Amino acid sequence: MIIILKANPDPAQLEALIAWLKAKNLEIHASEGESHKILGLVGDTSAMDVDLIAALDIVESVRRVQEPYKKANRKFQPNDTVIKVANTQVGGGNLTIMAGPCSVESEEQILEVARAVKKSGATMLRGGAFKPRTSPYSFQGKGVEGLRLLSLAKKDTGLPIVTELMEIHQLEYFEDVDVIQVGARNMQNFNLLKEVGKQNKPVLLKRGMSATIEELLMSAEYIMSEGNEQVILCERGIRTFETATRNTLDLSAIPVLKKLTHLPIIIDPSHATGKAELVPPMAIAAAAAGADGLLIEVHNDPQHALCDGSQSLRPDVFDDLAKKLFKVHEVISKF
Amino acid sequence: MIIILKANPDPAQLEALIAWLKAKNLEIHASEGESHKILGLVGDTSAMDVDLIAALDIVESVRRVQEPYKKANRKFQPNDTVIKVANTQVGGGNLTIMAGPCSVESEEQILEVARAVKKSGATMLRGGAFKPRTSPYSFQGKGVEGLRLLSLAKKDTGLPIVTELMEIHQLEYFEDVDVIQVGARNMQNFNLLKEVGKQNKPVLLKRGMSATIEELLMSAEYIMSEGNEQVILCERGIRTFETATRNTLDLSAIPVLKKLTHLPIIIDPSHATGKAELVPPMAIAAAAAGADGLLIEVHNDPQHALCDGSQSLRPDVFDDLAKKLFKVHEVISKF
Amino acid sequence: MIIILKANPDPAQLEALIAWLKAKNLEIHASEGESHKILGLVGDTSAMDVDLIAALDIVESVRRVQEPYKKANRKFQPNDTVIKVANTQVGGGNLTIMAGPCSVESEEQILEVARAVKKSGATMLRGGAFKPRTSPYSFQGKGVEGLRLLSLAKKDTGLPIVTELMEIHQLEYFEDVDVIQVGARNMQNFNLLKEVGKQNKPVLLKRGMSATIEELLMSAEYIMSEGNEQVILCERGIRTFETATRNTLDLSAIPVLKKLTHLPIIIDPSHATGKAELVPPMAIAAAAAGADGLLIEVHNDPQHALCDGSQSLRPDVFDDLAKKLFKVHEVISKF
Amino acid sequence: MIIILKANPDPAQLEALIAWLKAKNLEIHASEGESHKILGLVGDTSAMDVDLIAALDIVESVRRVQEPYKKANRKFQPNDTVIKVANTQVGGGNLTIMAGPCSVESEEQILEVARAVKKSGATMLRGGAFKPRTSPYSFQGKGVEGLRLLSLAKKDTGLPIVTELMEIHQLEYFEDVDVIQVGARNMQNFNLLKEVGKQNKPVLLKRGMSATIEELLMSAEYIMSEGNEQVILCERGIRTFETATRNTLDLSAIPVLKKLTHLPIIIDPSHATGKAELVPPMAIAAAAAGADGLLIEVHNDPQHALCDGSQSLRPDVFDDLAKKLFKVHEVISKF
């Protein structure tokens, strides 16, 4: 961390600052420019509050040199993390396709969709049992019964399952779940992050609607700092001024994250765009940009889906898309 | 809700849509323009998914006529809600000032600050015991011990206390808390909202960093739909492209909310701006715009605060500000 | 356009509204729901102010049915527009690559870059002569001399040239320019749009940093309404809260625009990301998503470029990228 | 400017960088931390490209110490600029009220509005003659005839006039105009800025819809660097995700600008909110936050206004608001 002081800082305040920094076990390297004195801090500054120091009367500005995350940082672990889920792997050159309905609705529905997506090449089944809905009057998911139906579909197809955890106490029902999803609205529900950090299962961590990439990595750090290093990151659209799509899918997050972290990155074009017709081109673009996988909503009867039907693909459209995704992935894997 | 059909809709699909709508107990009033057929729906459409209908092949667009919130809606309760907290009231023409440190740090600190802000005219003491922090390596609050110290300060000064609840199970320690705060990051933690909706205590609901005003009201609706109608709304800055301030304080939310809802609205200029020097002008502007109150960080020693010291006012600065706030409130109350 | 009235509108005001609408030569189809009366307007409503009507006391809300643009609207011209530029074509299944330096600096530089990009498969040479710079103290481009150097490079390589016009009076120097670029900051410089609308040359219209897709199409409409229908749209990143990239590249604009308009769409990953290392993955993703072409900055010596060197590719990196782009384009063309 | 190098920079590259910096007449003060070498640059770095240096292989990050604007910078001119307009002053403790219609429509209209706003205490008449409109099919203003009508109203009432300049060549008609307005969409039309920088008249510079405060000051710098230092800044709402208001009025820009610059700051609540009912509370809040003035749309018949009638106040509502504004200004002037 580097602290740039204002010209002619008050000596007493400067002394107080230096004493305070030393009390935090930091080494201080002062250097003098013509107009500004600079303090370079050496030691663990990850817990220090940049804004607080920047607010001091004698400080012009403060700059972090080190990223505030450690376990998620590629600098400290250069090799890509590959996460084993049942008999499949996320990361390491694979294109993982997680597909299924927004919401589990019935045994027939989940079995039909699971069998269809498996046939098309999906390697994981997604489906919501506990659903975060903006309105208290909307369908809130089938809950524990939904988890039971997911298990049935898993037994039937062999596909591992990924589903959202909304609340710590729901963990007792997650025994048969293969990947725990933390939703965008809970990306900074720090108690939930700590709790999934104590589990021995992969976590799919969705980027919050208005979270920066650094904040996403800090939330991954919460999980990892509790011991669980199996974190899969997921970009699902950020909130902007544009209204033509539900959110703006930030595909540049893929190469940015690939540089900053060793964790795998999955793209969710269904929630990002909110419109079924936009899902295929955005899914293909994501694969082309180097994503480790995709999370895609598929429903056997989108027009009667109990939630988010507008963005779900019919199984035949998904089948066509999956073929294209594998083709594009094959091409760019040779680049 | 109004559904605008595309020109020449497929008759079979139209019939299916109409049957589906009728199955939801909606009355349908069709009307024909020259180029577009329109369906007006009468009945409870609050649980219907606008996007889903808009995605149908035969539909041009869909428009809600009714807001999707009911209990929070001024149309259904025209009179301002006034919330009693101990011997003070939020709403109804009062200017409520909630002041105190970002984080409770020690008995000396909280007592000193509580006595100071009381003397300056604050009617409620704020202070964090459980702290949501972006980094797992930052100070996370003193927890249950922090609540004990807040109780001490309450007993000492008589000021009711408002403090943040991050997790349902923490409720067991909240007996002596007067107002439960739901933080910006938890505005769409729906399980938490439902739980505070079952309590018999006022809730201070902070607007999420990228939540629309309608989403804020839907979250209030979650709380109210469980029975607890004592909700105080709080604007604390939204995330924009501007970096000169931590967030952009959206003061227009005050008159917008005053029109849409009967619930009281409080402004938090400390978190919105992130800089102590910007707090007084923004607090005064909020009072002038008609806010029901302010939430202001005050610390006896901001430069040694364990969190967010950069935005905390010293007691003497707060005292000066409080005088100005009461003066401005007095002036605009006569308008 | 559909006007939804409030319950029990004042009859005198309603009569006045109807008279006013009729005076604008609109036919009115009234229809009655149980709770809301609806007015459907037939006729040319493109010049009507939605906000104004929505502000009337008796109006609940107003909704456009027709998009406010006509000549750019795919509904009125279903076939893709293909734009001929010298011996090449933009649109119609081609992948156009416009490459070159941010700024023309010297004869050696522009010739070297032009020859290199031609060899790699670029079909158009880009280069700035008049440069919009945030600071008045930054290099502002070589102006007329820059245009002369571009002409030299065009003569040398046969590549048609695209360069930015900042001011109407500069048009006198644009005789040898093949495609006139209107920059993002001038997307709503309406006088400039009208003037290029009178030219008989293709226009590359860049989306403003915070312009919606509809606003981009309205600016295209300005150009087209003056007679010039050769408009190429260009997405170059939008401004969001994220700071990891200079702007957020909105690739979903590709399929959204493909649906709304018949005009070709080009992507500029260089300005969007601001970082050379992010250009190749984003360029490839754009081609995969169906873009008609790319605008890429290439410089023979990026570290000494007079502007935007940080986002320029070296010719060898560009050569490698071009190969990949053509490969991906070939693959998705068969989808 | 401070350059933070990566650990163990390549010596040849470092030498090249240092040589390049010296060639720009910068003095370099190197200092060594334990893990990072730092270069402090002394000299005029205002024309240097931060991104370019940051993109070098050996550079970790770059930080400006000095703001990139000079003439607009309060550090170099600590005293508030006061701008004389006819017999009134902008800045220096006054509350300037510029009022009038969005668009000049007829002699009757402009005279009636001008007389009304003068009576209410406005000190300047605003009115649009050349109108930037999103659609080419909307009313584009009365042009030169509009300017003639503004002059009539000026002669009649004695109020100086402020009106928008959209294009350099329109300057020939601006002789009788007292303050030249540069609109939000032209905030980065650099040729226009340079041209008004050569005039001997105050300029009202509106903040672009997605411009940062620093960019606004850089645009002011463009004008000032050409010799015209009479610049009045105007905040008129920024574009965010919120749709309840047309834009989000950023009132924190007032204290932020007051700290950074000596130029006066005016607030335009009419364009920011887009709704007449929100104008009074936001205008009052702006005055309370310390704005030097307000720009308010007033129309004698808002429902028949040719543009932006939805946000215009009727003269009686404006009269009431003006009284309140002067009252609030009087109160806070004593603080």
Side-chain angles (χ1 to χ4, degrees):
Chain A
M1 188 178 285
I2 287 164
I3 301 176
I4 301 159
L5 300 174
K6 286 193 183 142
N8 308 315
D10 176 80
Q13 289 189 35
L14 179 55
E15 208 174 307
L17 171 61
I18 288 174
W20 185 76
L21 292 168
K22 284 187 175 157
K24 302 218 175 253
N25 286 319
L26 296 169
E27 248 181 80
I28 300 164
H29 294 257
S31 68
E32 196 94 28
E34 195 162 296
S35 61
H36 291 84
K37 201 184 178 77
I38 296 166
L39 306 180
L41 309 186
V42 179
D44 184 2
T45 60
S46 54
M48 291 192 60
D49 185 337
V50 167
D51 290 337
L52 174 59
I53 300 172
L56 299 180
D57 288 344
I58 57 171
V59 172
E60 177 75 38
S61 64
V62 183
R63 173 144 197 97
R64 275 196 189 283
V65 175
Q66 218 70 47
E67 294 85 6
Y69 43 90
K70 300 174 193 173
K71 287 174 176 278
N73 198 329
R74 191 180 278 278
K75 281 186 189 154
F76 303 127
Q77 183 188 317
N79 297 328
D80 282 357
T81 286
V82 179
I83 293 173
K84 223 180 123 25
V85 181
N87 54 352
T88 182
Q89 287 186 331
V90 182
N94 289 314
L95 185 73
T96 296
I97 301 189
M98 305 171 175
C102 173
S103 189
V104 181
E105 292 164 23
S106 68
E107 187 172 329
E108 295 70 31
Q109 175 236 27
I110 193 67
L111 282 178
E112 190 178 327
V113 174
R115 288 168 189 164
V117 300
K118 189 188 181 180
K119 214 172 134 191
S120 299
T123 47
M124 219 176 291
L125 177 65
R126 57 148 294 158
F130 299 101
K131 300 295 307 172
R133 304 301 305 276
T134 308
S135 168
Y137 309 121
S138 296
F139 173 59
Q140 310 270 317
K142 289 188 97 73
V144 178
E145 165 68 2
L147 291 178
R148 194 186 64 81
L149 297 175
L150 280 171
S151 283
L152 274 184
K154 173 180 174 178
K155 197 171 292 178
D156 183 85
T157 59
L159 290 177
I161 52 186
V162 50
T163 195
E164 179 163 355
L165 177 76
M166 285 180 67
E167 233 286 282
I168 292 174
H169 79 260
Q170 294 165 350
L171 266 174
E172 62 176 299
Y173 310 110
F174 271 58
E175 208 177 313
D176 197 36
V177 170
D178 296 279
V179 176
I180 301 171
Q181 179 178 316
V182 174
R185 289 176 181 78
N186 277 322
M187 193 200 85
Q188 293 194 320
N189 181 339
F190 301 118
N191 290 60
L192 191 68
L193 296 178
K194 285 181 190 170
E195 202 63 30
V196 299
K198 290 171 190 149
Q199 308 302 312
N200 187 19
K201 259 181 207 185
V203 176
L204 180 76
L205 176 65
K206 291 194 136 189
R207 180 182 182 185
M209 217 151 44
S210 67
T212 63
I213 286 174
E214 185 170 300
E215 287 168 344
L216 172 62
L217 289 171
M218 289 309 292
S219 288
E221 191 79 11
Y222 256 97
I223 299 170
M224 299 172 88
S225 70
E226 295 288 333
N228 186 353
E229 305 207 351
Q230 307 172 72
V231 178
I232 305 165
L233 304 172
C234 179
E235 153 67 24
R236 43 76 75 209
I238 56 174
R239 186 160 266 188
T240 69
F241 61 83
E242 178 61 72
T243 54
T245 43
R246 187 191 293 170
N247 292 287
T248 297
L249 183 61
D250 178 13
L251 287 182
S252 57
I254 300 170
V256 169
L257 282 167
K258 285 284 170 202
K259 192 182 172 196
L260 297 175
T261 188
H262 48 84
L263 298 171
I265 297 110
I266 297 285
I267 300 294
D268 174 354
S270 304
H271 279 90
T273 63
K275 292 183 182 169
E277 71 201 34
L278 300 177
V279 170
M282 288 302 96
I284 292 170
D292 294 300
L294 290 149
L295 187 64
I296 295 177
E297 284 192 13
V298 179
H299 197 286
N300 51 348
D301 184 9
Q303 303 212 343
H304 291 93
L306 292 175
C307 79
D308 281 345
S310 60
Q311 71 205 27
S312 291
L313 302 185
R314 290 195 318 270
D316 59 324
V317 176
F318 173 71
D319 187 64
D320 180 61
L321 171 58
K323 284 191 180 70
K324 291 172 178 168
L325 287 173
F326 290 124
K327 181 69 191 159
V328 166
H329 183 64
E330 184 199 324
V331 169
I332 71 140
S333 293
K334 292 177 195 149
F335 284 168
Chain B
M1 190 179 283
I2 287 165
I3 301 176
I4 300 158
L5 300 174
K6 284 189 185 147
N8 308 316
D10 176 80
Q13 287 188 38
L14 179 54
E15 209 175 304
L17 172 61
I18 287 174
W20 185 76
L21 292 168
K22 282 186 176 158
K24 302 218 177 249
N25 285 318
L26 296 170
E27 248 182 82
I28 301 165
H29 294 258
S31 67
E32 195 95 28
E34 194 161 296
S35 61
H36 290 83
K37 203 184 175 76
I38 296 166
L39 306 179
L41 309 186
V42 179
D44 183 3
T45 59
S46 55
M48 292 193 59
D49 185 338
V50 167
D51 290 338
L52 175 57
I53 300 172
L56 299 180
D57 288 344
I58 58 171
V59 171
E60 177 75 38
S61 65
V62 183
R63 174 143 197 98
R64 275 196 190 284
V65 175
Q66 218 70 50
E67 294 84 7
Y69 44 90
K70 299 174 194 174
K71 287 175 175 278
N73 199 329
R74 191 180 278 278
K75 281 187 190 154
F76 302 129
Q77 184 189 318
N79 296 328
D80 282 357
T81 286
V82 179
I83 293 174
K84 220 179 126 24
V85 181
N87 54 351
T88 181
Q89 287 186 331
V90 182
N94 289 314
L95 185 73
T96 296
I97 302 188
M98 304 171 175
C102 173
S103 189
V104 180
E105 293 165 22
S106 69
E107 187 173 329
E108 295 69 32
Q109 175 236 24
I110 194 67
L111 282 178
E112 189 177 330
V113 175
R115 289 167 189 166
V117 300
K118 187 182 183 187
K119 213 172 133 191
S120 299
T123 46
M124 219 175 293
L125 176 65
R126 59 147 293 159
F130 298 102
K131 298 297 307 172
R133 303 301 305 274
T134 308
S135 167
Y137 309 122
S138 295
F139 172 60
Q140 310 270 316
K142 289 189 97 72
V144 178
E145 165 68 3
L147 292 177
R148 193 184 66 81
L149 296 176
L150 280 171
S151 285
L152 274 185
K154 173 180 173 176
K155 196 171 293 177
D156 184 86
T157 59
L159 289 177
I161 53 186
V162 49
T163 195
E164 179 163 356
L165 177 77
M166 286 181 68
E167 236 285 281
I168 291 173
H169 79 259
Q170 294 165 350
L171 267 175
E172 62 175 298
Y173 310 111
F174 271 57
E175 208 177 312
D176 196 36
V177 171
D178 296 279
V179 177
I180 301 171
Q181 179 176 319
V182 174
R185 289 175 182 78
N186 277 323
M187 192 202 86
Q188 293 193 320
N189 181 340
F190 300 118
N191 292 59
L192 191 68
L193 296 178
K194 285 180 190 169
E195 203 62 31
V196 298
K198 290 171 191 149
Q199 307 303 311
N200 186 20
K201 258 180 207 185
V203 177
L204 181 77
L205 176 65
K206 290 193 136 189
R207 180 181 182 185
M209 217 153 42
S210 67
T212 62
I213 285 173
E214 185 170 300
E215 287 167 344
L216 172 62
L217 289 172
M218 290 309 292
S219 288
E221 191 78 12
Y222 256 97
I223 299 169
M224 298 171 88
S225 70
E226 296 288 334
N228 186 352
E229 306 207 351
Q230 305 172 72
V231 179
I232 304 165
L233 305 172
C234 180
E235 151 69 22
R236 43 74 75 209
I238 57 173
R239 187 160 266 189
T240 69
F241 61 84
E242 177 61 71
T243 54
T245 43
R246 187 191 293 169
N247 292 288
T248 297
L249 183 61
D250 178 13
L251 287 182
S252 57
I254 300 170
V256 168
L257 282 166
K258 285 283 169 203
K259 191 182 172 196
L260 297 174
T261 188
H262 49 84
L263 298 170
I265 298 112
I266 296 285
I267 299 295
D268 174 354
S270 305
H271 279 90
T273 62
K275 291 181 184 170
E277 71 202 32
L278 300 177
V279 170
M282 288 301 97
I284 292 170
D292 294 300
L294 291 149
L295 187 64
I296 295 178
E297 283 193 11
V298 178
H299 197 287
N300 50 348
D301 184 8
Q303 303 212 346
H304 290 92
L306 292 175
C307 80
D308 281 345
S310 60
Q311 71 205 26
S312 291
L313 301 186
R314 290 195 320 270
D316 58 323
V317 176
F318 173 72
D319 186 65
D320 180 61
L321 171 58
K323 285 192 181 70
K324 291 172 178 171
L325 287 172
F326 292 123
K327 180 70 192 159
V328 166
H329 183 66
E330 185 200 322
V331 169
I332 71 142
S333 293
K334 293 179 195 147
F335 284 168
Chain C
M1 189 178 282
I2 287 165
I3 301 175
I4 300 158
L5 300 175
K6 285 191 183 145
N8 309 316
D10 176 80
Q13 287 189 38
L14 179 55
E15 208 176 305
L17 171 61
I18 288 173
W20 184 75
L21 292 168
K22 283 188 176 158
K24 301 220 175 249
N25 286 318
L26 296 169
E27 249 181 79
I28 300 165
H29 295 257
S31 67
E32 197 95 26
E34 194 163 298
S35 61
H36 290 85
K37 202 185 177 74
I38 296 166
L39 305 181
L41 308 186
V42 179
D44 184 2
T45 58
S46 55
M48 292 192 59
D49 186 338
V50 167
D51 290 337
L52 174 57
I53 300 171
L56 298 180
D57 288 344
I58 57 171
V59 172
E60 176 77 36
S61 65
V62 183
R63 174 143 196 98
R64 276 196 187 284
V65 175
Q66 218 69 48
E67 293 86 6
Y69 45 90
K70 300 174 193 174
K71 286 173 176 278
N73 198 329
R74 192 180 276 279
K75 281 187 190 154
F76 303 127
Q77 184 188 317
N79 296 328
D80 281 358
T81 287
V82 179
I83 293 174
K84 222 180 122 24
V85 181
N87 53 353
T88 183
Q89 288 186 331
V90 182
N94 289 315
L95 185 73
T96 297
I97 302 188
M98 305 170 175
C102 171
S103 188
V104 181
E105 292 164 23
S106 69
E107 188 173 327
E108 296 69 32
Q109 175 236 25
I110 192 68
L111 282 178
E112 190 179 327
V113 174
R115 288 168 188 164
V117 300
K118 190 188 180 180
K119 216 173 132 190
S120 300
T123 48
M124 219 175 292
L125 177 65
R126 58 148 293 160
F130 298 102
K131 299 296 307 171
R133 303 303 304 277
T134 307
S135 167
Y137 309 121
S138 296
F139 173 59
Q140 310 270 316
K142 288 189 97 73
V144 178
E145 166 67 3
L147 292 177
R148 194 186 64 80
L149 297 175
L150 280 170
S151 284
L152 273 183
K154 173 181 174 177
K155 196 171 292 176
D156 184 85
T157 59
L159 289 176
I161 53 186
V162 50
T163 195
E164 179 164 355
L165 176 77
M166 284 180 67
E167 232 288 281
I168 292 174
H169 79 260
Q170 294 165 349
L171 266 174
E172 62 175 299
Y173 310 111
F174 270 59
E175 209 177 313
D176 198 35
V177 170
D178 297 279
V179 176
I180 301 170
Q181 179 177 317
V182 173
R185 288 175 182 77
N186 277 322
M187 193 201 87
Q188 293 193 320
N189 181 339
F190 300 118
N191 292 59
L192 192 69
L193 296 177
K194 285 180 189 170
E195 203 62 30
V196 300
K198 290 170 189 150
Q199 308 302 311
N200 186 18
K201 259 179 208 186
V203 176
L204 180 77
L205 176 65
K206 291 193 136 190
R207 180 181 182 185
M209 217 151 44
S210 67
T212 62
I213 286 175
E214 184 170 300
E215 286 167 345
L216 172 62
L217 289 171
M218 290 309 292
S219 288
E221 190 80 10
Y222 255 97
I223 299 170
M224 299 172 88
S225 71
E226 295 288 333
N228 186 354
E229 306 206 350
Q230 306 171 73
V231 178
I232 305 165
L233 304 172
C234 179
E235 153 67 23
R236 42 76 74 210
I238 58 173
R239 186 160 267 189
T240 69
F241 61 83
E242 177 60 72
T243 54
T245 44
R246 188 191 293 170
N247 293 288
T248 297
L249 183 61
D250 178 14
L251 287 182
S252 56
I254 300 170
V256 169
L257 282 166
K258 286 285 170 202
K259 191 181 173 197
L260 297 175
T261 187
H262 48 85
L263 298 171
I265 297 111
I266 297 286
I267 299 294
D268 174 354
S270 305
H271 279 90
T273 63
K275 292 184 181 168
E277 71 200 34
L278 300 177
V279 171
M282 288 301 97
I284 292 169
D292 294 300
L294 291 148
L295 186 65
I296 295 177
E297 283 193 13
V298 180
H299 197 285
N300 51 348
D301 185 8
Q303 303 212 343
H304 291 92
L306 292 174
C307 79
D308 280 345
S310 59
Q311 70 205 29
S312 291
L313 302 185
R314 290 194 321 268
D316 58 324
V317 176
F318 173 72
D319 187 65
D320 179 61
L321 171 58
K323 285 191 181 69
K324 292 172 178 169
L325 287 173
F326 291 123
K327 181 68 191 159
V328 166
H329 183 65
E330 186 199 322
V331 169
I332 71 141
S333 294
K334 292 177 197 150
F335 284 168
Chain D
M1 190 178 284
I2 287 165
I3 302 176
I4 301 159
L5 300 174
K6 285 189 184 146
N8 308 315
D10 176 80
Q13 287 189 38
L14 178 55
E15 209 176 304
L17 171 61
I18 288 174
W20 184 75
L21 292 168
K22 284 187 174 158
K24 303 221 175 247
N25 286 318
L26 296 170
E27 247 183 82
I28 301 165
H29 294 257
S31 68
E32 197 93 28
E34 194 161 298
S35 62
H36 289 85
K37 202 184 175 76
I38 296 166
L39 305 180
L41 309 185
V42 179
D44 184 2
T45 60
S46 54
M48 292 194 60
D49 186 337
V50 167
D51 290 337
L52 175 58
I53 299 172
L56 298 180
D57 288 344
I58 57 171
V59 172
E60 177 76 37
S61 65
V62 182
R63 173 142 199 99
R64 275 195 190 285
V65 175
Q66 219 70 50
E67 294 85 7
Y69 44 89
K70 300 174 195 174
K71 287 174 176 279
N73 198 329
R74 191 180 278 277
K75 281 186 190 155
F76 302 128
Q77 185 190 315
N79 297 328
D80 282 357
T81 286
V82 179
I83 294 174
K84 221 180 124 23
V85 181
N87 54 351
T88 182
Q89 287 185 331
V90 182
N94 289 314
L95 185 74
T96 296
I97 301 188
M98 306 171 175
C102 173
S103 188
V104 180
E105 292 164 24
S106 68
E107 189 173 327
E108 295 68 32
Q109 175 236 24
I110 193 68
L111 282 178
E112 190 178 328
V113 174
R115 288 168 190 164
V117 300
K118 187 182 181 185
K119 215 171 133 193
S120 300
T123 47
M124 219 175 294
L125 177 66
R126 56 148 295 159
F130 299 102
K131 298 296 308 172
R133 303 302 304 275
T134 308
S135 167
Y137 310 122
S138 296
F139 172 59
Q140 309 271 315
K142 289 190 97 73
V144 178
E145 166 66 3
L147 292 177
R148 193 186 65 79
L149 296 176
L150 280 171
S151 284
L152 274 184
K154 173 180 174 178
K155 197 171 293 175
D156 185 85
T157 59
L159 290 177
I161 53 187
V162 50
T163 194
E164 179 163 355
L165 177 76
M166 285 180 67
E167 234 286 280
I168 292 173
H169 79 259
Q170 294 164 350
L171 266 175
E172 60 175 299
Y173 310 111
F174 271 58
E175 210 177 311
D176 197 35
V177 170
D178 297 280
V179 176
I180 302 171
Q181 179 177 319
V182 173
R185 290 176 181 77
N186 277 323
M187 192 201 85
Q188 292 194 320
N189 180 339
F190 300 118
N191 291 59
L192 191 69
L193 296 178
K194 285 180 189 170
E195 204 62 31
V196 299
K198 291 171 189 149
Q199 308 303 311
N200 187 19
K201 258 178 208 186
V203 176
L204 180 76
L205 177 65
K206 290 192 137 189
R207 181 181 182 184
M209 218 151 43
S210 67
T212 62
I213 285 174
E214 184 169 301
E215 286 168 344
L216 172 62
L217 289 172
M218 290 308 291
S219 288
E221 190 79 11
Y222 256 97
I223 298 170
M224 297 171 89
S225 70
E226 295 289 333
N228 186 353
E229 307 207 349
Q230 305 171 72
V231 179
I232 305 164
L233 305 172
C234 180
E235 152 68 22
R236 43 76 75 210
I238 56 174
R239 187 162 266 189
T240 70
F241 61 83
E242 178 60 72
T243 54
T245 43
R246 189 193 290 169
N247 293 287
T248 297
L249 183 61
D250 178 13
L251 287 183
S252 56
I254 300 170
V256 169
L257 282 166
K258 285 284 170 202
K259 190 182 173 196
L260 297 174
T261 187
H262 48 84
L263 298 171
I265 298 110
I266 297 285
I267 300 294
D268 174 354
S270 305
H271 280 90
T273 62
K275 292 183 181 168
E277 71 201 33
L278 301 176
V279 170
M282 288 300 98
I284 292 170
D292 294 299
L294 291 148
L295 188 64
I296 295 177
E297 283 193 13
V298 179
H299 197 285
N300 51 348
D301 184 8
Q303 303 212 343
H304 290 92
L306 292 174
C307 79
D308 281 345
S310 60
Q311 71 205 28
S312 291
L313 302 186
R314 291 195 320 268
D316 59 323
V317 176
F318 173 72
D319 187 64
D320 180 62
L321 171 58
K323 285 191 181 70
K324 292 172 177 168
L325 287 172
F326 290 123
K327 181 68 192 160
V328 166
H329 183 65
E330 186 200 322
V331 169
I332 71 141
S333 294
K334 292 178 197 148
F335 284 169

